[in-house]
Amino acid sequence: MFILVARCTKCGSEFELSESCPNGHPPPYALRVKLRDCEVRDFERFASLPSFVQQLVLTSIEVGEAEGQLLPILLRLRDYGVVVCN
């Protein structure tokens, strides 16, 4: 499961993307993707990715979160069944 959260760039508070900073700070907010119980399932397709992308995805799965810029890649990998999240 991918959960989109925002992190306030001033105080570091995390909150739902549809909300605002609980401390009243205005944007900009940093977009984060929380990864819950994800794993690589199709290693053949995963191996065809550039090595730096493989490393980004594996590190994100291990840590349990990713930068917002990685969301399109994660969504595509999920759609093709390469990465599965419960």
Side-chain angles (χ1 to χ4, degrees):
M1 171 184 281
F2 301 141
I3 300 171
L4 293 175
V5 296
R7 179 175 288 151
C8 179
T9 55
K10 292 188 184 217
C11 67
S13 296
E14 287 189 350
F15 47 92
E16 292 285 325
L17 190 57
S18 60
E19 300 172 359
S20 59
C21 177
N23 296 317
H25 296 123
Y29 302 132
L31 179 64
R32 306 288 296 166
V33 181
K34 297 283 187 176
L35 306 172
R36 300 278 163 86
D37 195 24
C38 296
E39 63 181 291
V40 175
R41 288 269 177 96
D42 188 340
F43 288 97
E44 266 186 55
R45 285 185 176 173
F46 189 74
S48 69
L49 296 170
S51 60
F52 74 95
V53 174
Q54 291 177 19
Q55 190 60 46
L56 282 172
V57 171
L58 290 175
T59 301
S60 297
I61 290 173
E62 184 178 318
V63 172
E65 70 177 27
E67 295 291 331
Q69 298 93 326
L70 197 55
L71 181 61
I73 293 170
L74 292 170
L75 290 173
R76 181 156 296 173
L77 291 174
R78 184 196 64 187
D79 292 346
Y80 286 110
V82 177
V83 172
V84 176
C85 300
N86 296 322

